[in-house]
Short mmCIF file of all heavy atoms in Angstrom, two decimals:
data_model
loop_
_atom_site.label_atom_id
_atom_site.label_comp_id
_atom_site.label_asym_id
_atom_site.label_seq_id
_atom_site.Cartn_x
_atom_site.Cartn_y
_atom_site.Cartn_z
N LEU K 1162 94.85 100.74 109.62
CA LEU K 1162 93.88 100.62 110.71
C LEU K 1162 92.60 99.94 110.24
O LEU K 1162 92.01 99.13 110.97
CB LEU K 1162 93.59 101.99 111.30
CG LEU K 1162 94.75 102.55 112.14
CD1 LEU K 1162 94.58 104.03 112.40
CD2 LEU K 1162 94.89 101.80 113.45
N GLU K 1163 92.16 100.23 109.03
CA GLU K 1163 90.97 99.56 108.51
C GLU K 1163 91.23 98.08 108.31
O GLU K 1163 90.36 97.24 108.60
CB GLU K 1163 90.53 100.21 107.20
CG GLU K 1163 89.90 101.59 107.37
CD GLU K 1163 89.48 102.20 106.05
OE1 GLU K 1163 89.74 101.58 104.98
OE2 GLU K 1163 88.88 103.30 106.06
N HIS K 1164 92.42 97.72 107.81
CA HIS K 1164 92.69 96.32 107.52
C HIS K 1164 92.91 95.50 108.79
O HIS K 1164 92.40 94.38 108.90
CB HIS K 1164 93.90 96.19 106.60
CG HIS K 1164 94.14 94.79 106.13
ND1 HIS K 1164 93.33 94.17 105.21
CD2 HIS K 1164 95.06 93.86 106.51
CE1 HIS K 1164 93.75 92.93 105.01
NE2 HIS K 1164 94.80 92.72 105.78
N VAL K 1165 93.64 96.04 109.74
CA VAL K 1165 93.85 95.30 110.99
C VAL K 1165 92.53 95.15 111.73
O VAL K 1165 92.24 94.10 112.33
CB VAL K 1165 94.91 96.00 111.86
CG1 VAL K 1165 94.98 95.36 113.25
CG2 VAL K 1165 96.28 95.94 111.18
N SER K 1166 91.74 96.19 111.73
CA SER K 1166 90.36 96.14 112.24
C SER K 1166 90.28 95.53 113.64
O SER K 1166 89.44 94.68 113.92
CB SER K 1166 89.48 95.34 111.27
OG SER K 1166 88.12 95.44 111.62
N GLY K 1167 91.19 95.97 114.52
CA GLY K 1167 91.11 95.56 115.91
C GLY K 1167 91.68 94.19 116.23
O GLY K 1167 91.61 93.75 117.38
N ARG K 1168 92.25 93.49 115.25
CA ARG K 1168 92.80 92.16 115.54
C ARG K 1168 93.96 92.23 116.52
O ARG K 1168 94.13 91.35 117.37
CB ARG K 1168 93.24 91.46 114.24
CG ARG K 1168 92.06 90.99 113.39
CD ARG K 1168 92.55 90.36 112.10
NE ARG K 1168 93.05 91.35 111.15
CZ ARG K 1168 93.73 91.05 110.05
NH1 ARG K 1168 94.05 89.78 109.78
NH2 ARG K 1168 94.12 92.02 109.22
N VAL K 1169 94.77 93.26 116.40
CA VAL K 1169 95.80 93.58 117.40
C VAL K 1169 95.82 95.10 117.53
O VAL K 1169 95.39 95.81 116.62
CB VAL K 1169 97.21 93.07 116.99
CG1 VAL K 1169 97.25 91.55 116.91
CG2 VAL K 1169 97.67 93.69 115.69
N PRO K 1170 96.31 95.63 118.65
CA PRO K 1170 96.45 97.08 118.75
C PRO K 1170 97.44 97.60 117.72
O PRO K 1170 98.44 96.94 117.40
CB PRO K 1170 96.98 97.29 120.17
CG PRO K 1170 96.64 96.03 120.90
CD PRO K 1170 96.69 94.93 119.89
N VAL K 1171 97.16 98.78 117.18
CA VAL K 1171 98.06 99.43 116.23
C VAL K 1171 98.58 100.73 116.85
O VAL K 1171 97.79 101.56 117.32
CB VAL K 1171 97.36 99.72 114.89
CG1 VAL K 1171 98.28 100.50 113.96
CG2 VAL K 1171 96.93 98.41 114.23
N ILE K 1172 99.89 100.87 116.83
CA ILE K 1172 100.56 102.07 117.32
C ILE K 1172 100.94 102.91 116.11
O ILE K 1172 101.58 102.42 115.18
CB ILE K 1172 101.83 101.70 118.11
CG1 ILE K 1172 101.47 100.77 119.28
CG2 ILE K 1172 102.55 102.95 118.61
CD1 ILE K 1172 102.66 100.00 119.81
N VAL K 1173 100.55 104.16 116.09
CA VAL K 1173 100.84 105.05 114.97
C VAL K 1173 101.91 106.06 115.39
O VAL K 1173 101.73 106.77 116.38
CB VAL K 1173 99.58 105.78 114.48
CG1 VAL K 1173 99.92 106.74 113.34
CG2 VAL K 1173 98.52 104.79 114.02
N THR K 1174 102.99 106.12 114.65
CA THR K 1174 104.05 107.08 114.93
C THR K 1174 103.66 108.44 114.36
O THR K 1174 103.28 108.54 113.19
CB THR K 1174 105.37 106.61 114.30
OG1 THR K 1174 105.64 105.28 114.72
CG2 THR K 1174 106.52 107.51 114.74
N THR K 1175 103.77 109.46 115.17
CA THR K 1175 103.32 110.80 114.77
C THR K 1175 104.43 111.84 114.89
O THR K 1175 104.16 113.04 114.93
CB THR K 1175 102.11 111.25 115.63
OG1 THR K 1175 102.49 111.23 117.01
CG2 THR K 1175 100.92 110.32 115.42
N SER K 1176 105.67 111.40 114.93
CA SER K 1176 106.79 112.31 115.17
C SER K 1176 106.88 113.41 114.11
O SER K 1176 106.70 113.16 112.91
CB SER K 1176 108.10 111.53 115.17
OG SER K 1176 108.10 110.52 116.14
N HIS K 1177 107.18 114.62 114.55
CA HIS K 1177 107.42 115.76 113.66
C HIS K 1177 108.01 116.88 114.50
O HIS K 1177 107.80 116.94 115.72
CB HIS K 1177 106.12 116.22 112.99
CG HIS K 1177 106.33 117.09 111.80
ND1 HIS K 1177 106.59 118.44 111.88
CD2 HIS K 1177 106.33 116.80 110.47
CE1 HIS K 1177 106.74 118.95 110.66
NE2 HIS K 1177 106.59 117.97 109.78
N PHE K 1178 108.72 117.79 113.87
CA PHE K 1178 109.27 118.92 114.61
C PHE K 1178 108.18 119.87 115.07
O PHE K 1178 108.23 120.44 116.16
CB PHE K 1178 110.29 119.67 113.74
CG PHE K 1178 110.96 120.82 114.45
CD1 PHE K 1178 111.98 120.60 115.37
CD2 PHE K 1178 110.56 122.13 114.22
CE1 PHE K 1178 112.58 121.65 116.03
CE2 PHE K 1178 111.16 123.20 114.87
CZ PHE K 1178 112.19 122.95 115.79
N SER K 1179 107.17 120.05 114.23
CA SER K 1179 106.09 120.98 114.53
C SER K 1179 105.11 120.37 115.53
O SER K 1179 104.54 119.30 115.28
CB SER K 1179 105.34 121.35 113.24
OG SER K 1179 104.09 121.93 113.54
N THR K 1180 104.88 121.06 116.62
CA THR K 1180 103.91 120.58 117.60
C THR K 1180 102.51 120.52 117.01
O THR K 1180 101.76 119.58 117.27
CB THR K 1180 103.92 121.49 118.85
OG1 THR K 1180 105.25 121.48 119.41
CG2 THR K 1180 102.93 121.01 119.89
N GLN K 1181 102.15 121.50 116.19
CA GLN K 1181 100.81 121.49 115.60
C GLN K 1181 100.63 120.31 114.65
O GLN K 1181 99.55 119.69 114.63
CB GLN K 1181 100.54 122.79 114.84
CG GLN K 1181 99.11 122.91 114.33
CD GLN K 1181 98.09 122.82 115.44
OE1 GLN K 1181 98.15 123.59 116.41
NE2 GLN K 1181 97.13 121.89 115.33
N VAL K 1182 101.66 119.97 113.88
CA VAL K 1182 101.56 118.81 112.99
C VAL K 1182 101.39 117.54 113.82
O VAL K 1182 100.58 116.67 113.48
CB VAL K 1182 102.80 118.71 112.08
CG1 VAL K 1182 102.82 117.38 111.33
CG2 VAL K 1182 102.84 119.87 111.09
N VAL K 1183 102.12 117.43 114.91
CA VAL K 1183 101.99 116.26 115.79
C VAL K 1183 100.58 116.17 116.35
O VAL K 1183 99.98 115.09 116.40
CB VAL K 1183 103.05 116.32 116.92
CG1 VAL K 1183 102.70 115.34 118.03
CG2 VAL K 1183 104.44 116.05 116.37
N VAL K 1184 100.04 117.30 116.78
CA VAL K 1184 98.67 117.31 117.32
C VAL K 1184 97.67 116.87 116.25
O VAL K 1184 96.78 116.04 116.52
CB VAL K 1184 98.32 118.72 117.85
CG1 VAL K 1184 96.82 118.85 118.10
CG2 VAL K 1184 99.10 119.00 119.14
N ASP K 1185 97.82 117.39 115.04
CA ASP K 1185 96.90 117.02 113.95
C ASP K 1185 97.02 115.53 113.63
O ASP K 1185 96.00 114.84 113.44
CB ASP K 1185 97.20 117.84 112.71
CG ASP K 1185 96.86 119.32 112.88
OD1 ASP K 1185 96.11 119.66 113.82
OD2 ASP K 1185 97.38 120.15 112.09
N ARG K 1186 98.25 115.03 113.57
CA ARG K 1186 98.45 113.60 113.29
C ARG K 1186 97.88 112.74 114.42
O ARG K 1186 97.29 111.69 114.17
CB ARG K 1186 99.94 113.30 113.14
CG ARG K 1186 100.57 113.83 111.86
CD ARG K 1186 102.05 113.51 111.82
NE ARG K 1186 102.65 113.88 110.54
CZ ARG K 1186 103.94 113.72 110.24
NH1 ARG K 1186 104.76 113.17 111.13
NH2 ARG K 1186 104.41 114.08 109.06
N ALA K 1187 98.06 113.20 115.64
CA ALA K 1187 97.56 112.44 116.79
C ALA K 1187 96.03 112.32 116.74
O ALA K 1187 95.48 111.23 116.95
CB ALA K 1187 98.01 113.10 118.09
N ARG K 1188 95.37 113.41 116.49
CA ARG K 1188 93.90 113.39 116.43
C ARG K 1188 93.41 112.49 115.30
O ARG K 1188 92.46 111.73 115.47
CB ARG K 1188 93.38 114.81 116.23
CG ARG K 1188 93.48 115.69 117.48
CD ARG K 1188 93.02 117.10 117.19
NE ARG K 1188 92.98 117.90 118.42
CZ ARG K 1188 93.20 119.22 118.45
NH1 ARG K 1188 93.47 119.87 117.32
NH2 ARG K 1188 93.15 119.87 119.60
N GLU K 1189 94.06 112.58 114.15
CA GLU K 1189 93.66 111.74 113.01
C GLU K 1189 93.86 110.27 113.33
O GLU K 1189 92.98 109.43 113.05
CB GLU K 1189 94.46 112.12 111.77
CG GLU K 1189 94.12 111.27 110.55
CD GLU K 1189 94.98 111.60 109.35
OE1 GLU K 1189 96.17 111.97 109.54
OE2 GLU K 1189 94.50 111.46 108.22
N ALA K 1190 95.01 109.92 113.92
CA ALA K 1190 95.29 108.52 114.23
C ALA K 1190 94.27 107.96 115.22
O ALA K 1190 93.76 106.85 115.06
CB ALA K 1190 96.70 108.39 114.79
N GLU K 1191 93.96 108.72 116.26
CA GLU K 1191 92.98 108.25 117.23
C GLU K 1191 91.60 108.10 116.58
O GLU K 1191 90.90 107.11 116.83
CB GLU K 1191 92.88 109.21 118.42
CG GLU K 1191 91.91 108.72 119.47
CD GLU K 1191 91.78 109.66 120.66
OE1 GLU K 1191 91.84 110.89 120.47
OE2 GLU K 1191 91.62 109.15 121.79
N ALA K 1192 91.23 109.05 115.74
CA ALA K 1192 89.91 108.99 115.10
C ALA K 1192 89.78 107.76 114.21
O ALA K 1192 88.68 107.19 114.07
CB ALA K 1192 89.67 110.25 114.28
N LEU K 1193 90.89 107.31 113.63
CA LEU K 1193 90.88 106.15 112.75
C LEU K 1193 91.00 104.82 113.50
O LEU K 1193 90.88 103.76 112.89
CB LEU K 1193 91.98 106.26 111.71
CG LEU K 1193 91.77 107.34 110.64
CD1 LEU K 1193 93.03 107.52 109.81
CD2 LEU K 1193 90.59 107.00 109.74
N GLY K 1194 91.27 104.88 114.81
CA GLY K 1194 91.30 103.67 115.60
C GLY K 1194 92.64 103.27 116.18
O GLY K 1194 92.79 102.14 116.66
N ALA K 1195 93.62 104.15 116.17
CA ALA K 1195 94.92 103.82 116.77
C ALA K 1195 94.76 103.54 118.25
O ALA K 1195 93.98 104.19 118.95
CB ALA K 1195 95.90 104.97 116.57
N ALA K 1196 95.50 102.56 118.75
CA ALA K 1196 95.47 102.21 120.17
C ALA K 1196 96.50 103.00 120.97
O ALA K 1196 96.38 103.15 122.19
CB ALA K 1196 95.73 100.72 120.35
N MET K 1197 97.53 103.50 120.29
CA MET K 1197 98.61 104.21 120.95
C MET K 1197 99.33 105.05 119.91
O MET K 1197 99.28 104.77 118.70
CB MET K 1197 99.59 103.21 121.58
CG MET K 1197 100.72 103.82 122.40
SD MET K 1197 101.95 102.59 122.99
CE MET K 1197 100.93 101.61 124.10
N LEU K 1198 100.00 106.09 120.37
CA LEU K 1198 100.87 106.89 119.53
C LEU K 1198 102.32 106.67 119.96
O LEU K 1198 102.58 106.38 121.13
CB LEU K 1198 100.55 108.38 119.65
CG LEU K 1198 99.10 108.81 119.47
CD1 LEU K 1198 98.97 110.31 119.71
CD2 LEU K 1198 98.60 108.46 118.07
N MET K 1199 103.25 106.80 119.01
CA MET K 1199 104.67 106.85 119.38
C MET K 1199 105.25 108.14 118.82
O MET K 1199 104.96 108.53 117.69
CB MET K 1199 105.44 105.65 118.83
CG MET K 1199 106.90 105.65 119.31
SD MET K 1199 107.79 104.10 118.99
CE MET K 1199 108.09 104.24 117.22
N MET K 1200 106.07 108.80 119.64
CA MET K 1200 106.64 110.08 119.26
C MET K 1200 108.09 110.18 119.70
O MET K 1200 108.44 109.78 120.80
CB MET K 1200 105.88 111.24 119.92
CG MET K 1200 104.46 111.43 119.47
SD MET K 1200 103.58 112.60 120.57
CE MET K 1200 104.73 113.98 120.68
N MET K 1201 108.90 110.72 118.81
CA MET K 1201 110.23 111.17 119.21
C MET K 1201 110.12 112.63 119.65
O MET K 1201 109.14 113.32 119.31
CB MET K 1201 111.21 111.04 118.04
CG MET K 1201 111.42 109.61 117.59
SD MET K 1201 112.67 109.46 116.28
CE MET K 1201 114.17 109.72 117.21
N PRO K 1202 111.09 113.13 120.40
CA PRO K 1202 111.08 114.56 120.71
C PRO K 1202 111.25 115.36 119.43
O PRO K 1202 111.76 114.85 118.43
CB PRO K 1202 112.29 114.72 121.64
CG PRO K 1202 113.17 113.55 121.35
CD PRO K 1202 112.26 112.43 120.97
N PRO K 1203 110.82 116.62 119.41
CA PRO K 1203 110.96 117.43 118.19
C PRO K 1203 112.43 117.66 117.87
O PRO K 1203 113.23 117.98 118.74
CB PRO K 1203 110.26 118.73 118.56
CG PRO K 1203 110.31 118.79 120.06
CD PRO K 1203 110.23 117.37 120.52
N TYR K 1204 112.78 117.46 116.61
CA TYR K 1204 114.15 117.72 116.17
C TYR K 1204 114.14 117.99 114.68
O TYR K 1204 113.26 117.54 113.95
CB TYR K 1204 115.07 116.54 116.49
CG TYR K 1204 114.84 115.34 115.61
CD1 TYR K 1204 115.63 115.10 114.49
CD2 TYR K 1204 113.81 114.44 115.88
CE1 TYR K 1204 115.39 114.00 113.67
CE2 TYR K 1204 113.57 113.34 115.07
CZ TYR K 1204 114.37 113.13 113.97
OH TYR K 1204 114.13 112.05 113.16
#
């Protein structure tokens, strides 16, 4: 995210079985500048 620096949107995948881990990853990705998240269902 620092290197792309807004040149194009960056989608960060946050998939995990644990909902809390997904939430933590989602917050971190947004705080660092992610434009979108991608997630698989928990498995």
Side-chain angles (χ1 to χ4, degrees):
L1162 288 165
E1163 287 180 356
H1164 187 72
V1165 172
S1166 189
R1168 287 178 286 168
V1169 296
V1171 175
I1172 303 161
V1173 178
T1174 307
T1175 58
S1176 302
H1177 197 278
F1178 183 77
S1179 164
T1180 301
Q1181 186 58 55
V1182 171
V1183 165
V1184 167
D1185 292 343
R1186 288 179 174 180
R1188 286 177 174 149
E1189 179 184 32
E1191 182 181 36
L1193 290 170
M1197 185 185 295
L1198 309 177
M1199 184 168 76
M1200 293 168 49
M1201 296 184 74
Y1204 72 97

